[in-house]
Amino acid sequence: MKMANKVVVLGSINVDTTYHVERFPQPGETISAKSKSSAPGGKGANQAVAAVRSGAQTSFVGAVGSDNEGSYMLEALKENNIDVHHIMVDKYHGTGTAAITLDANGQNDIMIYGGANQAMTTDVLAGIEDVLDGADFLISQFETPQEVTLAAFKLAKEHGVTTILNPAPAHDIIPELLSYTDVIAPNESECALLTGIEVADEESMLKSAEYFQKRGVKHLLITLGSRGVFYATPEGHGLVPAFKVKAVDTTAAGDTFIGALSSQLKDDLSNVADALVYAQRASSLTVQQMGAMPSIPTADKVKAALAEK
């Protein structure tokens, strides 16, 4: 019987500060926040925590500053049993931070200072062959430089590792990166921005899949919020419905989805539909709690929720 999935995450590490407001301010307007809270976050860190809490053996590749926030984040990842040996300490740039405005409906606006995340170079990849050896998946996002992701994905392919690209926040992709990407997982707006095809119906989503397949990406997952997740693979396509819940804070919903998915997928992606159901359920639990990393559920909680009818 196969042991737990081995997942490597290359990505961002941020300290999130959330300002709780009734509504978002208008341009030029000053409003009062009801409260303020801080928590560990960053798309990469959130995805790694989601993977490990769902049972994956997880390693992280990234960078923090030589500051209090960096020490705080390293401890937070260690406490979640994530291998942090390949997180560099940058003496010249601060740890990434995010300022989040959260309204009464659970919607958010996020401003990010990249810091050590954006200053990352391929030097961070020194020695990562030891974690890629035997790994099942390598995940990356767009809060760190694409040049680093491309170099990491090339190494991953040399080691037979399946690569998952979460192109968020979306912007132009280095064309060569797609040729080393096995799975791409944008949301609908990110997908439209990358392909120029508005995500409106099944036909447009299949056209999006064709766009990526022509560029070397065989598997497309489009998260559609309350509508669920559309998937297209060489074996077929379909829509996995979302679980209907009342959202309190959507900050780490997409990150939970990606990390939880990586913990459940088989190497050949033959169980993609079942893995998507699990990932959707994990994400639905995350949005019902406050904070990014603190809200990410464990496998036991996800399985218990799945058992409910």
Side-chain angles (χ1 to χ4, degrees):
M1 183 177 176
K2 185 181 183 298
M3 300 292 287
N5 278 1
K6 185 177 179 183
V7 175
V8 181
V9 179
L10 164 66
S12 56
I13 298 171
N14 292 331
V15 176
D16 293 345
T17 299
T18 302
Y19 297 86
H20 304 260
V21 298
E22 279 296 324
R23 60 174 178 82
F24 296 124
Q26 297 299 311
E29 181 185 15
T30 299
I31 63 172
S32 295
K34 294 184 292 184
S35 62
K36 183 181 84 166
S37 56
S38 292
K43 295 192 73 63
N46 292 338
Q47 290 172 10
V49 168
V52 79
R53 288 185 185 170
S54 278
Q57 181 184 340
T58 308
S59 301
F60 201 95
V61 181
V64 295
S66 58
D67 46 29
N68 291 335
E69 288 86 354
S71 300
Y72 169 67
M73 288 304 302
L74 286 173
E75 284 306 310
L77 294 173
K78 287 179 190 174
E79 287 171 6
N80 279 280
N81 298 311
I82 292 168
D83 177 6
V84 299
H85 287 96
H86 294 283
I87 297 177
M88 290 182 66
V89 177
D90 186 333
K91 296 179 181 178
Y92 304 102
H93 301 88
T95 300
T97 55
I100 302 166
T101 307
L102 180 68
D103 76 4
N105 296 315
Q107 294 301 309
N108 61 53
D109 279 346
I110 306 175
M111 292 180 294
I112 293 174
Y113 162 67
N117 296 317
Q118 281 299 322
M120 200 186 300
T121 69
T122 53
D123 290 347
V124 77
L125 305 179
I128 70 161
E129 284 89 349
D130 63 330
V131 292
L132 288 176
D133 189 30
D136 297 294
F137 300 101
L138 171 62
I139 303 170
S140 193
Q141 329 77 34
F142 278 175
E143 287 184 345
T144 52
Q146 285 188 47
E147 293 81 2
V148 180
T149 298
L150 173 58
F153 276 22
K154 286 181 177 180
L155 285 172
K157 300 320 295 177
E158 290 175 12
H159 287 263
V161 179
T162 299
T163 55
I164 300 176
L165 181 64
N166 176 215
H171 47 75
D172 291 343
I173 298 181
I174 298 172
E176 190 182 6
L177 179 56
L178 291 177
S179 65
Y180 288 92
T181 299
D182 294 307
V183 182
I184 192 164
N187 64 25
E188 52 193 315
S189 62
E190 291 158 356
C191 189
L193 191 104
L194 295 171
T195 65
I197 302 167
E198 184 182 354
V199 176
D201 51 22
E202 185 178 275
E203 182 182 1
S204 61
M205 289 188 280
L206 286 171
K207 284 182 179 177
S208 298
E210 185 179 343
Y211 173 94
F212 286 115
Q213 285 166 1
K214 285 180 178 177
R215 288 156 178 80
V217 188
K218 294 182 179 178
H219 303 83
L220 169 65
L221 311 175
I222 307 176
T223 54
L224 305 167
S226 61
R227 288 184 289 155
V229 181
F230 173 83
Y231 68 91
T233 74
E235 286 71 43
H237 65 274
L239 179 70
V240 177
F243 292 87
K244 297 190 184 306
V245 297
K246 179 171 173 53
V248 174
D249 181 0
T250 59
T251 303
D255 299 333
T256 299
F257 171 82
I258 296 290
L261 179 73
S262 71
S263 76
Q264 304 299 307
L265 275 176
K266 292 181 179 178
D267 289 349
D268 61 2
L269 307 181
S270 60
N271 68 331
V272 64
D274 289 340
L276 286 171
V277 171
Y278 180 96
Q280 284 275 82
R281 197 60 175 124
S283 184
S284 77
L285 295 176
T286 291
V287 301
Q288 295 179 71
Q289 304 293 327
M290 293 300 303
M293 202 175 286
S295 68
I296 297 170
T298 61
D300 288 345
K301 289 183 178 178
V302 179
K303 289 172 183 175
L306 284 169
E308 295 173 2
K309 298 296 181 183

